[in-house]
Amino acid sequence: MNFLKGLFFVAITCAAYSCNEVKSQKTKVVENLALEKAEKQLSLQLKVAEKADRIPRTVNSKGEIHWTHNNFDWTEGFFPGSCWYLYEYTKDDKWKNAAEKFQSLFENHKYLTTNHDLGFVFNCSFGNGYRLTGNKEYVNVLTTAGDSLLSRYNPVVGCIQSWDVVNGWQSKKNWMFPVIIDNMMNLELLFELTRLTGDKKYEEVAITHANTTLKNHFRPNNSSYHVLDYDPETGAVRSKQTAQGFADESSWARGQAWGLYGYTVCYRYTKDIRYLEQANKIAKFIMKYEGLPDDGIPYWDYNAPNVPNEPRDVSAAAITASALIELDGYTSESYLPFIDKVLNTLATAKYTAELGKNHNFILMHSVGSIPHNNEIDVPLNYADYYYLEALMRYKKYKLE
């Protein structure tokens, strides 16, 4: 990777220190202080979660901790995933045991065929577990989850269906086969399963889904729609809309981050230059957007109507930072200055909670879905997960 293209905060501090001293000093800030503080905070959250035997998701409107739903929750894999990252960081079996305990609570969800988020759920938890332990039983869990995910694939459309449309608010949208940009994040599980099992069927579906999304989901400025609805019998696009953004033609911040991360992953596994080009295009849309705040933390939608009096979405920033760290290693152009800015911003008291506050979530000020009046300006377990991932990626790859 090309992380020697830049040094942390070099523009500010080179006048006072040598380059090696700058790298050493600023590395300490990110890797030791931010990770150390995160580990202390989640240690407190772990105690509460173990007592309740539940997985923390967010904080509700009453200021109480909100746990993941027992029957299924698309965010249930992130807390054990965070535990795996802290195990990787500390080598403390406390975190390994915690990850195994909490991912066991939803292992039977590997059989579910009614939700597209099995990639999120299982790759972040059991996938990280296998990466760090080599436990072959985890591969069996991942394979079953991957097979369940494949059941939602329609070869005529060339995509995995996101939401079912027979119940809930989705049934009121007149959708037939909705596909959301978020679904790009579920492809990593499929790519990884082909690597682990040698069976090409997983990769083939992932590639077809990525290609169909690349063809239809993006605007000329390289921002993405949130929801595309397809005709399941013809594969034709029926509509381009939003569900969690401000408007159909607006750019929902977390959706842009999902696309950036997803196409970076696609390039990792395939080395298809089209995916690298798309990831770079999305990165430039995010970084160069005229209304992006100076600190790099976006509003919940780039076209939200009351900027600057709109909530920020820290989750979008954390996802973006993690994706850019990987993408930086594939390009000749350095994204490190923007990465540094975002990571340093997230590490400030404005976005990182005091120890023991914020129901022991690491980060503050994320947004779930404003159109649904749900999880607005709250901590979210996936913001914490991708922040930890970004810090660990920065720690691991900065000198390669």
Side-chain angles (χ1 to χ4, degrees):
M1 287 192 174
N2 57 353
F3 281 88
L4 292 178
K5 292 185 296 186
L7 296 172
F8 205 71
F9 267 6
V10 67
I12 297 175
T13 54
C14 262
Y17 301 93
S18 72
C19 287
N20 285 336
E21 287 170 332
V22 171
K23 180 175 66 179
S24 175
Q25 181 194 30
K26 296 306 177 180
T27 292
K28 180 179 180 181
V29 171
V30 171
E31 293 177 17
N32 291 345
L33 297 186
L35 281 166
E36 180 181 334
K37 187 169 185 177
E39 197 269 342
K40 290 179 179 178
Q41 184 79 323
L42 286 192
S43 288
L44 297 176
Q45 190 175 79
L46 177 59
K47 292 179 181 178
V48 179
E50 287 181 327
K51 184 176 180 180
D53 200 29
R54 300 286 298 277
I55 296 171
R57 170 171 170 157
T58 184
V59 175
N60 64 25
S61 59
K62 297 179 181 179
E64 302 166 339
I65 193 165
H66 178 70
W67 309 99
T68 59
H69 304 293
N70 287 327
N71 55 341
F72 181 81
D73 193 308
W74 78 274
T75 73
E76 61 194 12
F78 293 118
F79 180 68
S82 292
C83 293
W84 281 120
Y85 277 127
L86 290 175
Y87 171 64
E88 184 176 15
Y89 168 58
T90 65
K91 305 300 187 292
D92 187 338
D93 282 343
K94 172 183 79 173
W95 292 111
K96 175 177 179 288
N97 295 337
E100 292 174 338
K101 169 186 171 64
F102 286 102
Q103 69 187 22
S104 71
L105 297 180
F106 56 79
E107 180 179 343
N108 64 331
H109 294 169
K110 64 189 176 183
Y111 298 110
L112 292 177
T113 59
T114 55
N115 195 284
H116 69 107
D117 282 318
L118 297 182
F120 268 128
V121 170
F122 286 94
N123 200 53
C124 295
S125 54
F126 287 87
N128 274 315
Y130 178 71
R131 178 177 64 85
L132 294 172
T133 69
N135 187 338
K136 296 293 186 181
E137 293 181 5
Y138 293 168
V139 177
N140 296 330
V141 174
L142 294 168
T143 302
T144 301
D147 289 337
S148 297
L149 181 59
L150 288 188
S151 72
R152 302 183 63 79
Y153 175 70
N154 181 325
V156 176
V157 174
C159 280
I160 297 166
Q161 183 172 345
S162 296
W163 296 313
D164 289 343
V165 294
V166 293
N167 294 303
W169 62 268
Q170 295 94 336
S171 65
K172 302 175 183 178
K173 293 289 189 176
N174 193 36
W175 291 329
M176 296 175 67
F177 194 97
V179 177
I180 60 178
I181 191 64
D182 320 36
N183 223 355
M184 288 298 300
M185 299 293 288
N186 290 294
L187 303 186
E188 186 172 4
L189 171 64
L190 300 181
F191 280 120
E192 187 65 13
L193 282 174
T194 287
R195 189 185 72 84
L196 292 174
T197 69
D199 193 330
K200 293 288 188 180
K201 68 178 181 180
Y202 303 106
E203 181 182 76
E204 289 170 356
V205 168
I207 289 172
T208 304
H209 182 102
N211 290 345
T212 303
T213 301
L214 183 61
K215 176 182 177 182
N216 297 323
H217 242 89
F218 291 91
R219 305 182 181 98
N221 69 353
N222 298 302
S223 68
S224 73
Y225 291 92
H226 183 199
V227 188
L228 260 68
D229 186 42
Y230 291 90
D231 186 321
E233 295 184 359
T234 68
V237 175
R238 299 180 68 240
S239 65
K240 298 183 178 184
Q241 300 177 300
T242 194
Q244 291 169 259
F246 165 62
D248 291 345
E249 292 295 331
S250 72
S251 300
W252 176 49
R254 194 162 66 251
Q256 312 316 306
W258 292 145
L260 170 65
Y261 194 112
Y263 280 101
T264 301
V265 167
C266 288
Y267 180 73
R268 180 204 308 164
Y269 283 97
T270 68
K271 296 301 182 285
D272 188 327
I273 193 65
R274 294 175 301 165
Y275 301 150
L276 179 61
E277 290 173 348
Q278 187 60 35
N280 281 315
K281 289 176 182 178
I282 300 168
K284 288 179 172 59
F285 170 83
I286 292 172
M287 294 167 53
K288 296 182 179 181
Y289 189 79
E290 186 175 348
L292 182 69
D294 291 340
D295 64 5
I297 311 302
Y299 298 101
W300 70 278
D301 191 297
Y302 287 94
N303 308 110
N306 298 313
V307 170
N309 299 313
E310 292 279 358
R312 304 288 191 95
D313 187 5
V314 159
S315 74
I319 298 158
T320 297
S322 184
L324 285 176
I325 291 168
E326 178 173 3
L327 182 60
D328 188 78
Y330 303 143
T331 65
S332 58
E333 178 180 354
S334 177
Y335 292 114
L336 193 58
F338 188 80
I339 294 165
D340 290 344
K341 176 169 66 174
V342 172
L343 289 183
N344 275 280
T345 299
L346 292 178
T348 65
K350 183 176 180 180
Y351 296 106
T352 292
E354 292 182 34
L355 187 64
K357 304 293 186 180
N358 200 39
H359 278 285
N360 304 310
F361 289 92
I362 303 167
L363 297 176
M364 305 177 287
H365 306 310
S366 289
V367 171
S369 179
I370 283 184
H372 295 92
N373 194 31
N374 188 40
E375 299 177 334
I376 301 171
D377 194 21
V378 293
L380 291 167
N381 63 7
Y382 49 92
D384 286 0
Y385 173 87
Y386 287 105
Y387 179 54
L388 286 172
E389 181 178 81
L391 292 173
M392 289 300 296
R393 284 179 166 182
Y394 195 97
K395 174 183 174 67
K396 184 182 297 184
Y397 299 125
K398 70 182 187 302
L399 295 178
E400 290 187 4

